[in-house]
């Protein structure tokens, strides 16, 4: 919701703090990749989704976001 309200920096900060606590939480990593993509930071979105794919490669929502990021580059 923060991103859709234009509060991308706040969302990125919150996600970074949460990932510090749970660095391999796949749903949170997927959210982080999406937020980076929405912010136009394709390099960071790609890095996060690549890491996420190593942790949860068979999750359809991760694969879909990976394809979306790949198409954005």
């Amino acid at each position: 919701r923060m991103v859709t309200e234009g509060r991308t920096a706040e969302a990125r900060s919150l996600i970074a703090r949460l990932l510090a606590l749970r660095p391999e939480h796949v749903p949170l990593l997927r959210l982080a990749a999406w937020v980076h993509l929405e912010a136009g930071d394709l390099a960071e979105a790609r890095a996060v989704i690549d890491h996420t794919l190593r942790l949860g490669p068979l999750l359809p929502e991760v694969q879909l976001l990976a394809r979306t990021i790949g198409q954005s580059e």
Side-chain angles (χ1 to χ4, degrees):
R1 183 175 176 180
M2 287 181 187
V3 174
T4 59
E5 293 175 350
R7 298 166 44 204
T8 305
E10 187 179 349
R12 290 171 95 169
S13 176
L14 176 59
I15 290 169
R17 290 194 311 267
L18 292 170
L19 282 172
L21 299 172
R22 306 232 9 230
E24 295 190 355
H25 189 263
V26 170
L28 186 55
L29 286 163
R30 182 174 50 88
L31 178 61
W34 178 79
V35 169
H36 289 302
L37 179 63
E38 288 296 307
D41 188 349
L42 295 178
E44 190 61 27
R46 169 54 59 201
V48 172
I49 204 65
D50 286 347
H51 175 66
T52 307
L53 283 168
R54 288 191 292 278
L55 297 172
L58 301 179
L59 296 173
E61 59 273 16
V62 173
Q63 292 177 358
L64 176 62
L65 185 55
R67 283 192 300 274
T68 301
I69 290 169
Q71 292 170 358
S72 296
E73 292 184 311

